[in-house]
Amino acid sequence: MPAPALRLSDRQLKAVKAKDKDYVLSDGDGLQLRVRSNGSMLWNFNYREPVTKNRINMGLGTYPELSLANARKKVVEARELLAQGIDPKVQRNAQDEAKRAETEHTFENVATAWFELKKDSVTPAYAEDIWRSLTLHVFPDLKTTPLSKITAPMVIELLRPIEAKGSLETVKRLSQRLNEIMTYGVNSGLIFANPLSGIRAVFKKPKKQNMAALRPDELSELMIEIANASIKRITRCLIEWQLHTMTRPAEAATTRWADIDFDKRIWTIPPERMKKRRPHTIPLTKQALALLEALKPHSGHREYVFPADRNPRTHANSQTANMALKRMGFQDRLVSHGMRSMASTILNEHGWDPELIEVALAHVDKDEVRSAYNRADYIERRRPMMAWWSEHILKAATGNLSVAAINDARNRNVVPIR
């Protein structure tokens, strides 16, 4: 029989010296102390893997930080696991990963990583809306919760009060965003499955509502109210610009001088600011150009045509026009996005080519070949329609109530911006 291994002692360990090469001292039962040539000492547990029977070294800690007695306790615990067919190193790694997930893979951290990818596929205004909704409704309760601890009942309880207020569209959007975050966690290997995949089914569905828009015969009322409203001229110009160009609120609010080609009389909106992430070119009418001339003294030296009040270096809020319309008394009758619907209705009623109208509204054409054709030839084909639309707006304004009409009538003299 082989002689039993001699046990190490604290006295012996205190006298250990480094040598030119690493060497190992054994304590028995697989416990070893590796003495490095640099003087450091590391406890190892040497054992056979339960299934493959391969030799494995499992680091336990450094000496003297981990004493001989405590190293022996760790070996006893590891050998108990081996007796049950459990690899102690694999189990320890799993426990370490679980602890790391508690602090690193919190909902906020994972949501932040997801958002960094998401924001590149949506417009800045929509990205802002996403993050604001999470900050307002989700982070206060789930911010530090590990992703692996999030359950469907937990999230349903979180969204019930929002549903009770009647904010069903908010519940729908939050459910969608939470699902995307959890799916991101699955695809990143942080969780095994998405527990929120079916939560939409337990909430009331929001009734689909069209954007509030005025009837075609109410355009004149709108123009009169815009002219007489107690709003800043820059806001008035923003509303008129959105009306003449048939753009979405965020697209109009983020208009940049650099995107305007005065020689070619076109405005090209880059893809990152479009809803469908595709560039959109708009032929500018003389009325639209007159609006820009009116704005040059106010913002021509800045990046954005419609600068924000508090920070002129950035653009106006996408809701500026909408809030102004509410103050004018159009609440429940018209939202700024609804001006596009009104333009579409009027143009269709007057017999303009529906295809040209759809292109003007930047509705995505599923036929890519036809879409390329739209971007080129359709710009010139749209000019007469856009010119007619601007003239129609001016007629509705009785010819002299719009900023565009005033500035054009003065041969592009500057209109003061207050």
Side-chain angles (χ1 to χ4, degrees):
M1 291 181 60
L6 295 176
R7 293 286 185 176
L8 298 173
S9 66
D10 288 319
R11 188 173 185 178
Q12 181 183 356
L13 292 176
K14 290 177 181 179
V16 168
K17 300 292 183 182
K19 299 180 180 179
D20 293 340
K21 294 182 179 180
D22 294 358
Y23 65 98
V24 174
L25 297 174
S26 295
D27 184 61
D29 295 330
L31 179 60
Q32 299 175 339
L33 181 70
R34 178 172 292 277
V35 183
R36 309 295 299 274
S37 58
N38 61 8
S40 64
M41 291 179 275
L42 174 69
W43 291 112
N44 280 329
F45 173 48
N46 184 267
Y47 66 97
R48 289 188 182 277
E49 200 278 334
V51 177
T52 65
K53 304 304 180 183
N54 292 332
R55 280 286 178 184
I56 294 177
N57 275 327
M58 175 181 171
L60 302 178
T62 58
Y63 178 85
E65 287 76 16
L66 181 66
S67 67
L68 173 60
N70 286 332
R72 285 171 176 168
K73 287 180 181 178
K74 285 182 175 290
V75 167
V76 170
E77 293 171 358
R79 291 178 68 84
E80 287 176 353
L81 291 173
L82 284 170
Q84 303 172 53
I86 301 172
D87 188 327
K89 189 173 183 179
V90 171
Q91 175 153 306
R92 185 181 66 180
N93 290 344
Q95 291 173 342
D96 289 345
E97 178 61 28
K99 289 179 182 178
R100 186 161 53 251
E102 294 283 338
T103 55
E104 292 182 14
H105 304 153
T106 62
F107 178 81
E108 183 185 35
N109 288 347
V110 177
T112 300
W114 165 81
F115 181 71
E116 287 300 310
L117 292 176
K118 181 71 174 181
K119 69 181 183 181
D120 290 333
S121 63
V122 297
T123 63
Y126 188 57
E128 183 181 340
D129 177 72
I130 290 173
W131 195 250
R132 184 170 55 247
S133 70
L134 294 174
T135 302
L136 181 63
H137 300 294
V138 182
F139 288 159
D141 291 288
L142 300 183
K143 184 175 183 177
T144 59
T145 305
L147 203 69
S148 59
K149 301 293 183 182
I150 291 178
T151 64
M154 182 189 299
V155 172
I156 291 170
E157 183 181 358
L158 175 69
L159 299 181
R160 282 297 186 201
I162 304 174
E163 180 191 38
K165 292 178 182 177
S167 303
L168 302 183
E169 189 63 36
T170 300
V171 172
K172 175 184 173 182
R173 292 182 181 181
L174 285 171
S175 297
Q176 178 183 342
R177 289 161 189 175
L178 286 165
N179 263 283
E180 288 190 32
I181 292 168
M182 298 303 286
T183 299
Y184 172 84
V186 173
N187 294 336
S188 299
L190 306 180
I191 52 178
F192 293 108
N194 174 11
L196 309 183
S197 59
I199 63 169
R200 286 272 295 276
V202 304
F203 296 106
K204 297 176 183 177
K205 293 182 180 180
K207 294 181 180 178
K208 189 172 182 179
Q209 296 180 338
N210 294 324
M211 295 284 185
L214 298 177
R215 298 191 310 270
D217 60 357
E218 293 176 316
L219 178 57
S220 180
E221 177 191 351
L222 172 64
M223 297 308 298
I224 292 171
E225 288 297 332
I226 293 173
N228 295 324
S230 181
I231 58 176
K232 293 183 179 180
R233 185 65 67 87
I234 193 75
T235 302
R236 177 180 172 183
C237 289
L238 173 58
I239 296 173
E240 288 196 30
W241 175 254
Q242 187 181 335
L243 192 59
H244 280 277
T245 58
M246 299 165 57
T247 45
R248 298 178 179 90
E251 295 159 7
T254 57
T255 307
R256 298 187 309 176
W257 288 106
D259 297 329
I260 307 292
D261 189 326
F262 285 92
D263 293 332
K264 294 181 179 179
R265 294 179 296 127
I266 59 173
W267 169 31
T268 302
I269 309 175
E272 62 269 17
R273 297 213 309 276
M274 292 298 299
K275 180 179 180 180
K276 298 298 182 180
R277 316 302 286 177
R278 294 174 54 169
H280 181 51
T281 301
I282 302 167
L284 297 175
T285 63
K286 65 178 183 179
Q287 291 83 3
L289 291 168
L291 280 168
L292 294 175
E293 290 296 334
L295 289 161
K296 272 186 178 179
H298 180 73
S299 62
H301 60 295
R302 300 192 180 280
E303 179 181 2
Y304 295 100
V305 175
F306 304 99
D309 283 339
R310 294 183 179 179
N311 182 9
R313 292 185 178 181
T314 188
H315 56 78
N317 191 288
S318 61
Q319 290 299 311
T320 297
N322 210 33
M323 296 306 295
L325 290 171
K326 284 185 179 181
R327 290 194 297 271
M328 282 183 248
F330 287 103
Q331 186 168 1
D332 299 327
R333 292 182 61 201
L334 175 69
V335 294
S336 58
H337 198 289
M339 292 191 290
R340 284 162 53 84
S341 298
M342 184 168 56
S344 176
T345 300
I346 292 172
L347 289 169
N348 275 292
E349 285 184 353
H350 284 79
W352 289 96
D353 186 343
E355 191 170 41
L356 292 179
I357 297 171
E358 291 300 292
V359 175
L361 293 169
H363 289 163
V364 173
D365 191 332
K366 294 180 181 178
D367 186 332
E368 292 298 327
V369 175
R370 181 173 160 193
S371 216
Y373 180 66
N374 288 343
R375 291 194 295 271
D377 182 66
Y378 275 33
I379 294 173
E380 295 307 316
R381 290 182 59 189
R382 281 157 50 203
R383 284 195 188 277
M385 182 183 73
M386 299 300 287
W388 182 92
W389 171 235
S390 283
E391 289 291 344
H392 186 80
I393 294 170
L394 260 63
K395 287 179 183 177
T398 67
N400 59 5
L401 293 176
S402 72
V403 174
I406 294 170
N407 210 49
D408 194 44
R410 294 181 181 180
N411 295 318
R412 306 201 190 287
N413 287 338
V414 173
V415 175
I417 304 293
R418 59 180 172 85

